[in-house]
Amino acid sequence: MKILITGGAGFIGSHVVRRMVKRYPNYHIYNLDALTYAGNLENIKDIESFKNYTFIKGDITNAEFLNSLFLKYKFSSVIHLAAESHVDRSIIDPLAFVKTNVIGTVNLLNASKELWKDDFTNKLFYHVSTDEVYGSLENCGLFTENTSYKPNSPYAASKASSDHFVRAYGETYNLPFIISNCSNNYGPNHFPEKLIPLFINNIINKKSLPVYGDGNYTRDWLYVEDHAKAIDLAFHKGKTGETYNIGGFNEWKNIDLVKLLCKQMDTILNRPGGESKKLITFVKDRPGHDLRYAIDATKINEELDWKPSVTFEEGLLKTINWYLENQEWLKNVTSGSYVEYYSKMYNQKA
Ligand code: NAD
Ligand code: DAU
């Protein structure tokens, strides 16, 4: 099998690439990534010399480049993760999200359709999506695979659009596909613009922790390696044409999560109890902020026997320790364009 994985230098993609390269030595894994601010070859340094692995720098918005790449390597499957992934950035620059998430996905679908023509035997387009396509929940209920789409941010709208294109290529051209919609991931290699890694970095540096609004927003958190495992399972054993919801059965209000993070970090850093909590600062809310996400992952649990293996407390400790042991990584990604992003977003120096 020759598998093209897109976005494999990013957060989740790097864990998926590592898992596939190590578990399946008889597959060849091609990692296509444009290395945007979120892509980092350091994330996958440990596997760069594996014989069944090739990195390709390239942009999925370039259709011509993609078509020639597919003709050259004759991929048998695609696992598509490349995306602009941060909600706050999508509020500032929605078009960048349309370009990569919508046009980039359609380019990949076209390149797959052209290469595979009408012989779809053992071919699969696996699309990695998000629970944000379903919109926001009130205080009860869960997103199932049948929940209708109601995206609220430009990011969510671009991912919803890409999901629709994938499904439409299945209906119209019989392109075999699987879509999975996952909840919030956390773990090593997470770029420090998202809540957990941003706050870990700020706690290390004793900087303020900017909690949006009143902090009573709820997310369902999943350790990134459990997501990679779910993708592996659904890719190999899932039914084509199906959607699988993936989640941690692990809901946290932001403010409670931040307090737990502060407590764990005070212990690990030998700081007096309650010290990091003093850094919490309530700031202006995110426009169109979704109140609550929560996934019903019963289908993947019952059909494919998947469930999260890491508890939140364990996962958070592993994550904090990874950032403390990889401060060079953190320093590298928080220099350069990050400084400008941070001061624009939070009105203060990074
Ligand atoms: P990320 O931002 O960490 O990584 C995205 C990767 O895509 C980067 O390596 C970047 O260089 C690459 N990329 C961006 N634009 C590209 C382009 N035009 N051409 C080629 N490569 C490009 O994202 P992530 O958090 O790892 O998310 C990966 C996927 O999983 C996304 O599709 C996202 O929507 C989805 N997802 C993320 C989460 C989450 O909590 N992070 C949850 C559910 C689903
Ligand atoms: O649900 C899946 C989605 O989870 C993925 O599709 C996205 O790619 C991923 O970025 C994530 O989106 P969120 O918007 O939920 O993640 P983020 O880490 O940006 O924010 C989590 C919560 O924390 C959210 O309610 C906003 C809040 N927040 C975030 C930041 C960055 C703050 O209060 N302060 C902050 O500085």
Side-chain angles (χ1 to χ4, degrees):
M1 246 203 257
K2 289 176 160 194
I3 306 177
L4 176 70
I5 300 185
T6 70
F11 167 46
I12 302 170
S14 60
H15 290 272
V16 174
V17 164
R18 177 177 299 102
R19 183 178 175 93
M20 301 299 272
V21 166
K22 287 194 167 172
R23 276 177 72 93
Y24 305 105
N26 54 330
Y27 296 176
H28 198 99
I29 304 298
Y30 297 86
N31 175 8
L32 170 65
D33 198 297
L35 299 181
T36 67
Y37 77 94
N40 187 348
L41 288 176
E42 285 296 313
N43 293 347
I44 28 155
K45 208 171 167 32
D46 56 318
I47 49 145
E48 69 186 5
S49 60
F50 278 58
K51 284 203 181 70
N52 63 334
Y53 173 71
T54 304
F55 176 75
I56 302 159
K57 183 172 185 308
D59 193 327
I60 59 167
T61 64
N62 184 340
E64 231 174 274
F65 158 75
L66 276 189
N67 292 336
S68 57
L69 193 74
F70 273 66
L71 281 179
K72 179 173 176 192
Y73 290 109
K74 306 220 169 357
F75 306 118
S76 48
S77 302
V78 176
I79 303 179
H80 175 36
L81 295 107
E84 288 293 337
S85 69
H86 190 33
V87 173
D88 291 328
R89 287 185 193 255
S90 82
I91 295 167
I92 297 167
D93 183 10
L95 210 53
F97 286 67
V98 176
K99 285 182 187 150
T100 288
N101 299 1
V102 184
I103 297 173
T105 302
V106 176
N107 284 341
L108 280 168
L109 288 165
N110 280 337
S112 308
K113 176 167 85 67
E114 274 312 297
L115 175 67
W116 300 336
K117 296 272 191 267
D118 288 325
D119 182 11
F120 293 127
T121 327
N122 296 325
K123 308 290 193 306
L124 182 64
F125 191 98
Y126 188 108
H127 181 57
V128 177
S129 193
T130 169
D131 61 357
E132 297 202 14
V133 299
Y134 298 123
S136 182
L137 291 163
E138 293 300 324
N139 288 322
C140 61
L142 300 169
F143 296 133
T144 73
E145 287 79 0
N146 297 320
T147 303
S148 49
Y149 278 30
K150 202 179 169 201
N152 291 320
S153 70
Y155 162 68
S158 69
K159 290 298 289 186
S161 172
S162 66
D163 292 11
H164 291 323
F165 272 105
V166 173
R167 189 168 285 108
Y169 271 60
E171 286 294 322
T172 309
Y173 309 109
N174 296 320
L175 191 91
F177 73 88
I178 287 177
I179 300 174
S180 53
N181 296 82
C182 189
S183 64
N184 286 60
N185 286 215
Y186 70 100
N189 309 98
H190 205 181
F191 191 80
E193 62 186 352
K194 311 276 171 70
L195 181 75
I196 291 181
L198 176 82
F199 281 28
I200 291 176
N201 188 34
N202 285 11
I203 292 172
I204 294 173
N205 295 300
K206 300 193 175 171
K207 281 167 49 70
S208 70
L209 306 176
V211 173
Y212 296 161
D214 59 7
N216 283 318
Y217 295 89
T218 301
R219 297 291 182 265
D220 168 2
W221 294 92
L222 178 68
Y223 193 64
V224 63
E225 285 177 3
D226 278 329
H227 186 191
K229 188 174 169 193
I231 291 172
D232 177 359
L233 210 56
F235 175 81
H236 285 100
K237 300 210 169 114
K239 282 197 207 113
T240 53
E242 294 281 324
T243 288
Y244 295 91
N245 277 0
I246 306 168
F249 301 102
N250 177 43
E251 287 184 51
W252 283 82
K253 280 201 163 130
N254 292 342
I255 189 65
D256 296 334
L257 185 163
V258 171
K259 284 181 184 161
L260 173 66
L261 185 65
C262 289
K263 195 170 161 211
Q264 288 194 342
M265 287 199 66
D266 281 345
T267 310
I268 295 173
L269 294 169
N270 283 322
R271 290 183 184 167
E275 180 158 302
S276 298
K277 223 169 73 175
K278 290 187 204 143
L279 299 169
I280 293 175
T281 315
F282 293 95
V283 300
K284 195 165 158 267
D285 212 347
R286 171 186 278 177
H289 199 166
D290 285 332
L291 177 68
R292 175 172 166 257
Y293 305 144
I295 279 277
D296 180 351
T298 306
K299 179 175 172 182
I300 190 164
N301 172 247
E302 287 182 354
E303 289 184 15
L304 304 181
D305 197 22
W306 173 88
K307 61 175 186 310
S309 66
V310 179
T311 68
F312 192 54
E313 283 74 5
E314 277 165 16
L316 207 52
L317 270 179
K318 276 162 88 137
T319 305
I320 296 166
N321 283 324
W322 185 86
Y323 281 92
L324 290 173
E325 284 156 18
N326 289 276
Q327 295 209 36
E328 211 42 46
W329 182 95
L330 206 45
K331 278 204 189 102
N332 288 340
V333 301
T334 52
S335 61
S337 63
Y338 183 83
V339 177
E340 200 188 317
Y341 165 78
Y342 198 92
S343 63
K344 202 163 155 195
M345 224 9 250
Y346 297 103
N347 245 333
Q348 53 175 282
K349 271 173 45 193

mmCIF file of all heavy atoms in Angstrom, residues 113-128:
data_model
loop_
_atom_site.group_PDB
_atom_site.id
_atom_site.type_symbol
_atom_site.label_atom_id
_atom_site.label_comp_id
_atom_site.label_asym_id
_atom_site.label_seq_id
_atom_site.Cartn_x
_atom_site.Cartn_y
_atom_site.Cartn_z
ATOM 1 N N LYS A 113 -9.493 10.927 -7.904
ATOM 2 C CA LYS A 113 -10.460 10.458 -8.920
ATOM 3 C C LYS A 113 -9.758 10.235 -10.262
ATOM 4 O O LYS A 113 -9.980 9.233 -10.931
ATOM 5 C CB LYS A 113 -11.562 11.522 -9.045
ATOM 6 C CG LYS A 113 -12.601 11.246 -10.108
ATOM 7 C CD LYS A 113 -13.783 12.168 -9.947
ATOM 8 C CE LYS A 113 -13.632 13.522 -10.610
ATOM 9 N NZ LYS A 113 -13.584 13.513 -12.060
ATOM 10 N N GLU A 114 -8.897 11.154 -10.638
ATOM 11 C CA GLU A 114 -8.185 11.046 -11.911
ATOM 12 C C GLU A 114 -7.262 9.837 -11.927
ATOM 13 O O GLU A 114 -7.187 9.100 -12.901
ATOM 14 C CB GLU A 114 -7.343 12.311 -12.162
ATOM 15 C CG GLU A 114 -8.108 13.430 -12.832
ATOM 16 C CD GLU A 114 -8.893 12.939 -14.050
ATOM 17 O OE1 GLU A 114 -8.248 12.473 -15.004
ATOM 18 O OE2 GLU A 114 -10.137 12.987 -14.022
ATOM 19 N N LEU A 115 -6.549 9.615 -10.824
ATOM 20 C CA LEU A 115 -5.598 8.499 -10.776
ATOM 21 C C LEU A 115 -6.336 7.160 -10.740
ATOM 22 O O LEU A 115 -5.971 6.213 -11.427
ATOM 23 C CB LEU A 115 -4.688 8.628 -9.541
ATOM 24 C CG LEU A 115 -3.734 7.458 -9.314
ATOM 25 C CD1 LEU A 115 -2.679 7.393 -10.421
ATOM 26 C CD2 LEU A 115 -3.033 7.576 -7.959
ATOM 27 N N TRP A 116 -7.381 7.096 -9.926
ATOM 28 C CA TRP A 116 -8.052 5.806 -9.711
ATOM 29 C C TRP A 116 -9.082 5.504 -10.810
ATOM 30 O O TRP A 116 -9.552 4.381 -10.928
ATOM 31 C CB TRP A 116 -8.713 5.780 -8.321
ATOM 32 C CG TRP A 116 -7.726 5.959 -7.202
ATOM 33 C CD1 TRP A 116 -6.380 5.684 -7.237
ATOM 34 C CD2 TRP A 116 -7.980 6.463 -5.872
ATOM 35 N NE1 TRP A 116 -5.790 5.983 -6.025
ATOM 36 C CE2 TRP A 116 -6.750 6.459 -5.157
ATOM 37 C CE3 TRP A 116 -9.118 6.905 -5.187
ATOM 38 C CZ2 TRP A 116 -6.637 6.881 -3.826
ATOM 39 C CZ3 TRP A 116 -9.018 7.326 -3.868
ATOM 40 C CH2 TRP A 116 -7.788 7.314 -3.199
ATOM 41 N N LYS A 117 -9.415 6.525 -11.587
ATOM 42 C CA LYS A 117 -10.418 6.414 -12.665
ATOM 43 C C LYS A 117 -11.625 5.622 -12.155
ATOM 44 O O LYS A 117 -12.204 5.984 -11.155
ATOM 45 C CB LYS A 117 -9.801 5.750 -13.903
ATOM 46 C CG LYS A 117 -8.680 6.560 -14.532
ATOM 47 C CD LYS A 117 -9.214 7.549 -15.562
ATOM 48 C CE LYS A 117 -8.115 8.165 -16.382
ATOM 49 N NZ LYS A 117 -7.562 9.401 -15.938
ATOM 50 N N ASP A 118 -11.975 4.535 -12.847
ATOM 51 C CA ASP A 118 -13.153 3.799 -12.387
ATOM 52 C C ASP A 118 -12.789 2.549 -11.610
ATOM 53 O O ASP A 118 -13.646 1.770 -11.228
ATOM 54 C CB ASP A 118 -14.048 3.451 -13.579
ATOM 55 C CG ASP A 118 -14.722 4.707 -14.089
ATOM 56 O OD1 ASP A 118 -15.042 5.580 -13.260
ATOM 57 O OD2 ASP A 118 -14.879 4.836 -15.311
ATOM 58 N N ASP A 119 -11.489 2.342 -11.376
ATOM 59 C CA ASP A 119 -11.113 1.161 -10.612
ATOM 60 C C ASP A 119 -10.808 1.564 -9.171
ATOM 61 O O ASP A 119 -9.696 1.984 -8.851
ATOM 62 C CB ASP A 119 -9.895 0.473 -11.254
ATOM 63 C CG ASP A 119 -9.534 -0.791 -10.485
ATOM 64 O OD1 ASP A 119 -10.343 -1.216 -9.629
ATOM 65 O OD2 ASP A 119 -8.443 -1.333 -10.723
ATOM 66 N N PHE A 120 -11.836 1.415 -8.365
ATOM 67 C CA PHE A 120 -11.696 1.848 -6.976
ATOM 68 C C PHE A 120 -11.365 0.682 -6.034
ATOM 69 O O PHE A 120 -11.464 0.816 -4.826
ATOM 70 C CB PHE A 120 -12.980 2.547 -6.514
ATOM 71 C CG PHE A 120 -13.222 3.864 -7.217
ATOM 72 C CD1 PHE A 120 -14.433 4.123 -7.840
ATOM 73 C CD2 PHE A 120 -12.232 4.833 -7.247
ATOM 74 C CE1 PHE A 120 -14.649 5.343 -8.479
ATOM 75 C CE2 PHE A 120 -12.444 6.055 -7.881
ATOM 76 C CZ PHE A 120 -13.652 6.306 -8.501
ATOM 77 N N THR A 121 -10.967 -0.455 -6.597
ATOM 78 C CA THR A 121 -10.640 -1.608 -5.753
ATOM 79 C C THR A 121 -9.463 -1.261 -4.829
ATOM 80 O O THR A 121 -8.427 -0.770 -5.291
ATOM 81 C CB THR A 121 -10.205 -2.818 -6.640
ATOM 82 O OG1 THR A 121 -10.932 -2.770 -7.842
ATOM 83 C CG2 THR A 121 -10.387 -4.130 -5.934
ATOM 84 N N ASN A 122 -9.677 -1.539 -3.540
ATOM 85 C CA ASN A 122 -8.646 -1.265 -2.518
ATOM 86 C C ASN A 122 -8.172 0.186 -2.489
ATOM 87 O O ASN A 122 -7.018 0.466 -2.171
ATOM 88 C CB ASN A 122 -7.433 -2.189 -2.694
ATOM 89 C CG ASN A 122 -7.806 -3.629 -2.473
ATOM 90 O OD1 ASN A 122 -8.654 -3.920 -1.633
ATOM 91 N ND2 ASN A 122 -7.216 -4.519 -3.246
ATOM 92 N N LYS A 123 -9.031 1.106 -2.864
ATOM 93 C CA LYS A 123 -8.689 2.533 -2.799
ATOM 94 C C LYS A 123 -9.550 3.166 -1.689
ATOM 95 O O LYS A 123 -10.674 2.729 -1.448
ATOM 96 C CB LYS A 123 -8.989 3.246 -4.122
ATOM 97 C CG LYS A 123 -8.390 2.579 -5.354
ATOM 98 C CD LYS A 123 -6.883 2.723 -5.358
ATOM 99 C CE LYS A 123 -6.250 2.370 -6.688
ATOM 100 N NZ LYS A 123 -6.583 1.054 -7.222
ATOM 101 N N LEU A 124 -9.004 4.191 -1.057
ATOM 102 C CA LEU A 124 -9.789 4.873 -0.011
ATOM 103 C C LEU A 124 -9.322 6.311 0.177
ATOM 104 O O LEU A 124 -8.122 6.585 0.261
ATOM 105 C CB LEU A 124 -9.650 4.122 1.337
ATOM 106 C CG LEU A 124 -10.452 4.708 2.504
ATOM 107 C CD1 LEU A 124 -11.961 4.629 2.249
ATOM 108 C CD2 LEU A 124 -10.130 3.990 3.806
ATOM 109 N N PHE A 125 -10.287 7.216 0.243
ATOM 110 C CA PHE A 125 -10.005 8.611 0.612
ATOM 111 C C PHE A 125 -10.531 8.788 2.032
ATOM 112 O O PHE A 125 -11.740 8.813 2.258
ATOM 113 C CB PHE A 125 -10.721 9.567 -0.357
ATOM 114 C CG PHE A 125 -10.277 11.001 -0.207
ATOM 115 C CD1 PHE A 125 -9.326 11.541 -1.070
ATOM 116 C CD2 PHE A 125 -10.795 11.815 0.800
ATOM 117 C CE1 PHE A 125 -8.893 12.861 -0.939
ATOM 118 C CE2 PHE A 125 -10.372 13.136 0.948
ATOM 119 C CZ PHE A 125 -9.430 13.661 0.067
ATOM 120 N N TYR A 126 -9.606 8.890 2.993
ATOM 121 C CA TYR A 126 -10.000 9.025 4.408
ATOM 122 C C TYR A 126 -9.856 10.492 4.805
ATOM 123 O O TYR A 126 -8.752 11.047 4.785
ATOM 124 C CB TYR A 126 -9.092 8.141 5.281
ATOM 125 C CG TYR A 126 -9.559 8.088 6.717
ATOM 126 C CD1 TYR A 126 -10.140 6.946 7.245
ATOM 127 C CD2 TYR A 126 -9.437 9.199 7.560
ATOM 128 C CE1 TYR A 126 -10.588 6.902 8.561
ATOM 129 C CE2 TYR A 126 -9.885 9.168 8.867
ATOM 130 C CZ TYR A 126 -10.455 8.020 9.366
ATOM 131 O OH TYR A 126 -10.893 7.984 10.672
ATOM 132 N N HIS A 127 -10.969 11.100 5.180
ATOM 133 C CA HIS A 127 -10.978 12.532 5.473
ATOM 134 C C HIS A 127 -11.104 12.769 6.977
ATOM 135 O O HIS A 127 -12.067 12.311 7.614
ATOM 136 C CB HIS A 127 -12.165 13.160 4.729
ATOM 137 C CG HIS A 127 -12.290 14.637 4.918
ATOM 138 N ND1 HIS A 127 -11.286 15.525 4.617
ATOM 139 C CD2 HIS A 127 -13.318 15.399 5.372
ATOM 140 C CE1 HIS A 127 -11.685 16.758 4.871
ATOM 141 N NE2 HIS A 127 -12.911 16.707 5.345
ATOM 142 N N VAL A 128 -10.135 13.497 7.534
ATOM 143 C CA VAL A 128 -10.131 13.760 8.981
ATOM 144 C C VAL A 128 -10.837 15.092 9.242
ATOM 145 O O VAL A 128 -10.380 16.150 8.801
ATOM 146 C CB VAL A 128 -8.691 13.795 9.530
ATOM 147 C CG1 VAL A 128 -8.687 14.150 11.006
ATOM 148 C CG2 VAL A 128 -8.015 12.441 9.302
#
